[in-house]
Amino acid sequence: MITRQQLSTLKTRMEEPRRFIQVLAGPRQVGKTTLIKQFVQQTQTPVLSVSADLVDPKDKEWIILQWETVRSKMRIHQLPEYILIIDEIQRIEDWSAVVKREWDADTQQGINIKVIILGSSRLLLKDGLTESLFGRFELIKMTHWTFSEMREAFNFTLDEYIYFGGYPGGASLKNDEDRWQDYMQHAIIEPGIDKDVLMTKRILKPALMRQLFEIGCYYSAEELSYTKVLGQLQDAGNVTTLSNYLYTLSEANLLGGLQKYAADKARRYQSSPKFMVYNTALMSALHGKGFEQERLSPQRWGRWVESAVGAYLLNQAELYGYNVYYWCDKNDEVDFILENRNKETIAIEVKSGHRMDNQGIHIFKQKFSPLHTFVVGSSGFTLEEFLTIPLNRLWN
């Protein structure tokens, strides 16, 4: 069983004096529950681990009952501390207000209950955290699995990772593509849209949201204006609606829309998005013609390669607090621009056969003086090498 890096972070924080609620958040099927099981096996502190998965959404008293159970155990056994873990907490209505009340009561009375909460919907967690728990929690972000992790856990080759992506649950099905696509559709995509997005946000046009997701996956690694997207949609909408829906899909770690890099922030916001999946399995499941067939087409495979690099950048950028953009000026373009908190930039060009060579990276260097420029693919970094480098090392 693979150990993800977030386990070390969680262990370190839980060994510290009680200070913050720890929130484990991330997209569906990336190993949050498995990580918690690993933590429980390794900690020396007593633990009560429960799930709200089958609890009535209106039963807020259930949360209070779990807290009272831990307090009773501490009192009866004279224990100095206890850990309460609640999974799928976002399923209970107004959960954050209850958690706030119980957490604050323990703080006032000096009861040393440390709390971990997690759930399959990052959006639902986010709403509750910002509403009631401001200043009381720390976030541990779980991202899609990297190539290194899929290779270690499932012996994935580079090409298999590019096509089948980083969902560990479907890894064993890669040799039966019909079954793999069925798993992706019913275990990942449909719950991701129906439960993690539509149940969270007030989406007036659910059909429009689904169409945008499918079109965005089809055009992953492509710049496409919202006007052109509207022309391909069956449901009526407008640019503002599409922009908001794309932002929501990005918050759910499904589909992002990279902004064009510009010194003027207003120009960034007004740019056409470059669609980018957070996991290449999504574009393969919806639009792939099959693993072997896609590899035979250099242009189509180039889109998968560029999307694999983009997905890696998006997920890693979330861990380190970076921004990811693209840049273009007429026929010159740079695939990815990485920006850190100090506003320093790195320009990254992917040589994938997706398009003809251009002078974009040289022109960008002259205009914006990035800290570094990297070429990934036929020269410079190999694709395999780049996908195994932690993003923070690129600034060295």
Side-chain angles (χ1 to χ4, degrees):
M1 184 178 294
I2 194 170
T3 299
R4 305 204 72 189
Q5 67 182 64
Q6 290 85 355
L7 178 59
S8 175
T9 302
L10 180 62
K11 289 172 61 178
T12 299
R13 292 182 180 180
M14 296 307 290
E15 289 169 359
E16 296 173 349
R18 177 185 181 274
R19 189 177 300 118
F20 301 109
I21 298 169
Q22 296 301 318
V23 180
L24 199 62
R28 185 173 292 270
Q29 296 292 320
V30 296
K32 296 186 294 294
T33 302
T34 299
L35 186 144
I36 286 297
K37 290 179 180 178
Q38 292 173 327
F39 169 76
V40 171
Q41 291 172 354
Q42 296 178 25
T43 185
Q44 300 300 313
T45 305
V47 175
L48 175 63
S49 182
V50 295
S51 174
D53 192 28
L54 300 178
V55 178
D56 185 335
K58 298 185 181 299
D59 188 6
K60 292 184 287 188
E61 293 296 320
W62 179 86
I63 298 177
I64 300 174
L65 177 61
Q66 310 313 311
W67 232 286
E68 289 295 346
T69 298
V70 172
R71 289 173 181 144
S72 297
K73 286 176 176 287
M74 293 181 68
R75 185 173 60 253
I76 292 171
H77 299 293
Q78 298 183 335
L79 298 171
E81 67 177 10
Y82 220 100
I83 296 174
L84 173 61
I85 303 173
I86 307 180
D87 195 0
E88 299 291 354
I89 194 170
Q90 81 285 343
R91 295 183 181 275
I92 298 179
E93 296 176 4
D94 201 26
W95 64 270
S96 58
V98 181
V99 170
K100 175 181 180 295
R101 184 169 64 246
E102 299 303 311
W103 175 264
D104 288 352
D106 286 345
T107 300
Q108 293 170 5
Q109 298 173 29
I111 300 175
N112 193 18
I113 299 178
K114 298 178 179 179
V115 179
I116 303 172
I117 59 178
L118 62 155
S120 59
S121 174
R122 171 176 149 173
L123 291 173
L124 285 170
L125 281 176
K126 180 181 177 181
D127 285 350
L129 294 172
T130 54
E131 286 172 4
S132 302
L133 296 175
F134 185 78
R136 294 173 175 82
F137 71 93
E138 284 185 298
L139 194 61
I140 299 177
K141 296 179 180 179
M142 297 281 286
T143 58
H144 293 281
W145 282 41
T146 65
F147 169 55
S148 297
E149 290 171 322
M150 295 298 287
R151 180 175 60 183
E152 178 184 347
F154 305 106
N155 201 30
F156 261 37
T157 66
L158 178 61
D159 284 357
E160 286 173 339
Y161 177 75
I162 289 171
Y163 188 80
F164 294 105
Y167 282 111
S172 62
L173 306 177
K174 63 183 175 63
N175 294 325
D176 186 346
E177 291 194 38
D178 289 339
R179 188 177 174 188
W180 177 81
Q181 283 190 319
D182 186 70
Y183 166 83
M184 285 296 303
Q185 188 67 46
H186 298 294
I188 303 294
I189 295 174
E190 289 182 5
I193 298 293
D194 293 342
K195 296 182 179 180
D196 297 348
V197 176
L198 297 182
M199 287 179 62
T200 308
K201 299 291 184 178
R202 186 168 178 264
I203 305 297
L204 297 177
K205 295 179 177 291
L208 184 66
M209 166 76 81
R210 290 189 176 92
Q211 288 179 53
L212 175 63
F213 174 68
E214 292 186 8
I215 288 176
C217 288
Y218 182 81
Y219 285 104
S220 182
E222 296 279 356
E223 175 194 353
L224 195 66
S225 70
Y226 287 116
T227 303
K228 291 183 179 179
V229 174
L230 285 170
Q232 299 190 41
L233 296 174
Q234 297 176 357
D235 200 349
N238 57 53
V239 169
T240 301
T241 299
L242 290 185
S243 178
N244 291 336
Y245 285 0
L246 184 58
Y247 178 75
T248 299
L249 289 168
S250 180
E251 284 189 305
N253 294 107
L254 293 170
L255 176 71
L258 306 186
Q259 295 175 346
K260 177 182 175 181
Y261 181 82
D264 183 357
K265 288 187 177 182
R267 293 185 179 181
R268 298 184 187 186
Y269 298 137
Q270 295 169 4
S271 64
S272 298
K274 180 176 182 178
F275 288 104
M276 190 61 59
V277 291
Y278 275 80
N279 193 316
T280 51
L282 299 170
M283 62 187 294
S284 300
L286 290 173
H287 304 293
K289 297 180 179 179
F291 176 53
E292 294 297 341
Q293 187 172 345
E294 292 295 1
R295 289 198 299 171
L296 295 176
S297 171
Q299 185 171 8
R300 284 182 61 85
W301 187 245
R303 287 186 52 239
W304 259 265
V305 169
E306 188 174 331
S307 293
V309 174
Y312 182 66
L313 291 174
L314 283 175
N315 285 288
Q316 287 276 297
E318 187 161 302
L319 289 178
Y320 295 109
Y322 302 153
N323 296 314
V324 184
Y325 303 97
Y326 75 98
W327 178 81
C328 68
D329 184 9
K330 298 179 181 179
N331 294 327
D332 299 309
E333 57 184 295
V334 179
D335 293 317
F336 303 105
I337 308 299
L338 198 61
E339 182 185 65
N340 64 14
R341 290 186 175 94
N342 297 324
K343 304 304 178 184
E344 297 171 321
T345 59
I346 292 175
I348 301 169
E349 178 70 15
V350 182
K351 301 295 185 183
S352 62
H354 179 30
R355 62 171 186 273
M356 299 299 291
D357 290 344
N358 67 86
Q359 298 298 310
I361 200 165
H362 304 294
I363 297 174
F364 182 87
K365 187 174 182 179
Q366 294 172 1
K367 285 188 173 184
F368 298 101
S369 301
L371 186 65
H372 299 297
T373 58
F374 295 112
V375 175
V376 179
S378 59
S379 60
F381 285 94
T382 65
L383 183 60
E384 183 170 355
E385 181 183 10
F386 187 81
L387 291 178
T388 56
I389 299 175
L391 221 58
N392 61 331
R393 294 185 186 176
L394 296 181
W395 305 96
N396 296 339

